C-alpha cells in the first residue's frame, strides 16, 4: 500500500543505524520525495511523520526528535554528534517546539511556532539550516490577537501554508477570524493571505494536487457547527466555495480524494462521517456509529480510534469502508503503564503491514511514551519502543 504522491527511495546501511544509536559519525540517507505532500494523518499534533522505512516523532518532555527504523528496529535521537546532550540548537535532534514536522522534497522540514521559522535538514538530521522566517508583516497583521486557536501548517509545491483561528479584541469588542496564509519556501519574499473570514473561529487545511482545501468552521456548539469548504487553486490563486451551511465538523479530520471530500463530525451522542462529491451541492452521510475519532485513511478505507481517560482501558481501533462496514476492530493495550493515567494515542502512519501508533501520557511527572505497531488485521500488537522502564524508575523529568 503506497502513500499517494510520494516516491521514496531510502537506503540505510547497518553501520549507519548503529552509529545513529550511539551518536557516532554517519553517512547521508538517500531519499527522494515528490513536491506533493501526503497529509494522510493530519492530526491535532503535528510532531510525527513517516514514510515506508522510517517513523519520526518528537519526545516533548525531552524536546528531542527521534527516529524509528522499521527494518532494523533501531530507535534513537536523530543526532550523530559524539557526546551530544541534545539540549540546544547545535544538536540535530533538538526540537523545542512540536508544531510542524514533514518529509518534503527530499528533506525533513520543521516549523518552529515560537520563532516563526522554517528549518530543513537531510533526513538523517545533518545539514540543518534555517530556510526562512515567516515573522513578517503579513503574519503579525493576521495572527496578532489575544488567542490563537488550533494552528496547523502544510508544505506543498514550493509553498508553506499556515492556518489558525485568531481572536482579536478591539474597543472592548471580540471578533473571531479564520485565516490561512502562504509563503514561498525558496525565497524571503512576503507571503499572501489566501483566506480570511470573520464568520468562523477555526480552520483546517489539506493540500491535494492543484488545490489547497480549506475547512472553516465554528465548533462552539457540540450540536451543529457552521462551516464553509473552500478550494484554493495553487496555480491561479483563485478560490471557490464548494459548500457553506450547518454541519458538525471534527477538528482537522478530513480527507480529499480525486472526486470528493470526506470529513467527520461528532456530537456528544454520536459520530458521523460525511462525503461531499465535487460538482454536487449536497452532502451525504456515509457512516453513523460509535463515538470514534477519525485518525486517517488506509487506501479508500477509514481508520478510526477511541482513546479513554483510563489508560488501562486501552485504545480502540477500527477500520471501516466508505459504506460504513467494519473491516477490523480491536483494542490496543499499553504495556507497563500505571493504571488511571490519561493517554493520548496518535496514529503516526501506516504501511503494507502495520499501523504505527504513538502513545503518550500528558503529565510532567509521568512522561510515559511508547511506539506500537498494530497489524492491519488487528491480530498482532508489538511495542517497538517505550520509555516505561526509565519513567517508572523516576529517571525521566521535564526539561
Amino acid at each position: 500500500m503506497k502513500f499517494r504522491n510520494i516516491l521514496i527511495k531510502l537506503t540505510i546501511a547497518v553501520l549507519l543505524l548503529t552509529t545513529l544509536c550511539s551518536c557516532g559519525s554517519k553517512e547521508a540517507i538517500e531519499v527522494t520525495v515528490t513536491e506533493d505532500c501526503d497529509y494522510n494523518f493530519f492530526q491535532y499534533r503535528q510532531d510525527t511523520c513517516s514514510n515506508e522505512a522510517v517513523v519520526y516523532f518528537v519526545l516533548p518532555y525531552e524536546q528531542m526528535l527521534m527516529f524509528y527504523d522499521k527494518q532494523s528496529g533501531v530507535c534513537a535521537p536523530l543526532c550523530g554528534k559524539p557526546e551530544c546532550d541534545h539540549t540546544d540548537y547545535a544538536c540535530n535532534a533538538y526540537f523545542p517546539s512540536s508544531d510542524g514536522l514533514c518529509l518534503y522534497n527530499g528533506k525533513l522540514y520543521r516549523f518552529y511556532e515560537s520563532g516563526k521559522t522554517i528549518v530543513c535538514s537531510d533526513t538523517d538530521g545533518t545539514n540543518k539550516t534555517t530556510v526562512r522566517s515567516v515573522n513578517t508583516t503579513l503574519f503579525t497583521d493576521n495572527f496578532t490577537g489575544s488567542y490563537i486557536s488550533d494552528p496547523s501548517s502544510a508544505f506543498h509545491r514550493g509553498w508553506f501554508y499556515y492556518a489558525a483561528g485568531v481572536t482579536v479584541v478591539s474597543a472592548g469588542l471580540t471578533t473571531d477570524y479564520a485565516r490561512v496564509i502562504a509563503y514561498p519556501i525558496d525565497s524571503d519574499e512576503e507571503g499572501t493571505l489566501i483566506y480570511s473570514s470573520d464568520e468562523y473561529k477555526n480552520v483546517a487545511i489539506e493540500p491535494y494536487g492543484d488545490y489547497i482545501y480549506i475547512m472553516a468552521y465554528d465548533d462552539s456548539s457540540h450540536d451543529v457547527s457552521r462551516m464553509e469548504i473552500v478550494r484554493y487553486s495553487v496555480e491561479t490563486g483563485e478560490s471557490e466555495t464548494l459548500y457553506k451551511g450547518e454541519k458538525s465538523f471534527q477538528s482537522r479530520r478530513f480527507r480529499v480524494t480525486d472526486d470528493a471530500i470526506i470529513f467527520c463530525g461528532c456530537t456528544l451522542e454520536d459520530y458521523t462521517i460525511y462525503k461531499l462529491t465535487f460538482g454536487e451541492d449536497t452532502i451525504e452521510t456515509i457512516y453513523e456509529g460509535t463515538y470514534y475519532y477519525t485518525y486517517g485513511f488506509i487506501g479508500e478505507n477509514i481508520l478510526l480510534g477511541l482513546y479513554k481517560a483510563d489508560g488501562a482501558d486501552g485504545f480502540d481501533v477500527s477500520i471501516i469502508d466508505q459504506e460504513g462496514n467494519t473491516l477490523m476492530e480491536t483494542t490496543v493495550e499499553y504495556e507497563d503503564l500505571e493504571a488511571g493515567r490519561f493517554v493520548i494515542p496518535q496514529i503516526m502512519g501506516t504501511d503494507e503491514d502495520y499501523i504505527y501508533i504513538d502513545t503518550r501520557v500528558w503529565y510532567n511527572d509521568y512522561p510515559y511514551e511508547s511506539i506500537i505497531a498494530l497489524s492491519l488485521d488487528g491480530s498482532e500488537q508489538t511495542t517497538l519502543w517505550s520509555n516505561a522502564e526509565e519513567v517508572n524508575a523516576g529517571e525521566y523529568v521535564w526539561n
Side-chain angles (χ1 to χ4, degrees), residues 269-272 287-293 304 306 316 329:
E269 289 78 30
D270 55 32
Y271 184 88
T272 308
Y287 174 79
E288 287 182 297
T290 309
Y291 185 42
Y292 276 95
Y293 290 95
L304 307 176
L306 174 62
D316 294 340
E329 194 168 33

Side-chain angles (χ1 to χ4, degrees), residues 289-350:
T290 309
Y291 185 42
Y292 276 95
Y293 290 95
T294 299
Y295 277 83
F297 292 76
I298 302 177
E300 296 301 317
N301 298 320
I302 303 166
L303 178 61
L304 307 176
L306 174 62
Y307 63 83
K308 307 164 189 178
D310 187 343
D313 290 338
F315 175 43
D316 294 340
V317 178
S318 178
I319 299 176
I320 63 173
D321 61 23
Q322 291 192 26
E323 284 69 48
N325 301 308
T326 300
L327 307 178
M328 184 274 280
E329 194 168 33
T330 191
T331 298
V332 174
E333 303 292 343
Y334 308 129
E335 298 181 1
D336 302 319
L337 175 65
E338 288 184 358
R341 292 293 184 176
F342 186 72
V343 180
I344 303 292
Q346 180 81 2
I347 305 296
M348 305 170 73
T350 66

Side-chain angles (χ1 to χ4, degrees), residues 101 132 184 275 281 298 312 327-328 348 361:
L101 188 64
R132 65 162 298 158
K275 182 176 182 179
D281 296 329
I298 302 177
L327 307 178
M328 184 274 280
M348 305 170 73
V361 174

Side-chain angles (χ1 to χ4, degrees), residues 3 8 10-12 16-17 20 29-31 48-57 66-72 74-76 78 103 108 123-124 348-351 356:
F3 290 143
I8 301 171
L10 184 138
T11 305
I12 307 178
L16 167 62
L17 295 171
L20 266 171
I29 301 174
E30 182 185 3
V31 178
T48 69
C49 66
S50 65
N51 58 34
E52 293 171 333
V54 179
V55 176
Y56 298 93
F57 63 100
M66 303 283 289
F67 82 98
Y68 173 79
D69 180 79
K70 298 177 185 179
Q71 182 176 4
S72 70
V74 170
C75 185
L78 193 70
L103 281 167
L108 183 63
T123 52
D124 63 352
M348 305 170 73
T350 66
D351 56 26
Y356 295 89

Side-chain angles (χ1 to χ4, degrees), residues 124-245:
D124 63 352
T126 59
N127 299 317
K128 187 174 69 172
T129 59
T130 298
V131 176
R132 65 162 298 158
S133 170
V134 299
N135 193 18
T136 66
T137 301
L138 174 71
F139 198 100
T140 55
D141 284 352
N142 287 283
F143 293 105
T144 298
S146 60
Y147 181 68
I148 302 295
S149 64
D150 209 13
S152 60
S153 57
F155 295 87
H156 190 67
R157 297 195 175 181
W159 287 76
F160 170 75
Y161 297 88
Y162 180 88
V166 57
T167 299
V168 178
V169 179
S170 178
L173 300 176
T174 299
T175 305
D176 293 314
Y177 296 92
R179 286 171 172 161
V180 184
I181 57 178
Y183 285 90
I185 297 174
D186 58 356
S187 76
D188 290 327
E189 294 181 6
E190 181 63 286
T192 182
L193 178 69
I194 68 171
Y195 180 84
S196 180
S197 174
D198 61 1
E199 297 184 50
Y200 310 97
K201 61 188 304 182
N202 296 289
V203 62
I205 57 175
E206 180 172 338
Y208 188 80
D210 296 333
Y211 300 98
I212 306 298
Y213 290 84
I214 300 168
M215 304 277 279
Y217 61 101
D218 183 353
D219 62 355
S220 58
S221 169
H222 278 285
D223 296 325
V224 178
S225 295
R226 297 177 299 109
M227 65 176 300
E228 179 179 43
I229 304 175
V230 173
R231 180 165 60 187
Y232 170 82
S233 171
V234 175
E235 299 297 327
T236 67
E238 298 179 351
S239 296
E240 173 189 7
T241 299
L242 303 178
Y243 175 84
K244 187 173 183 177

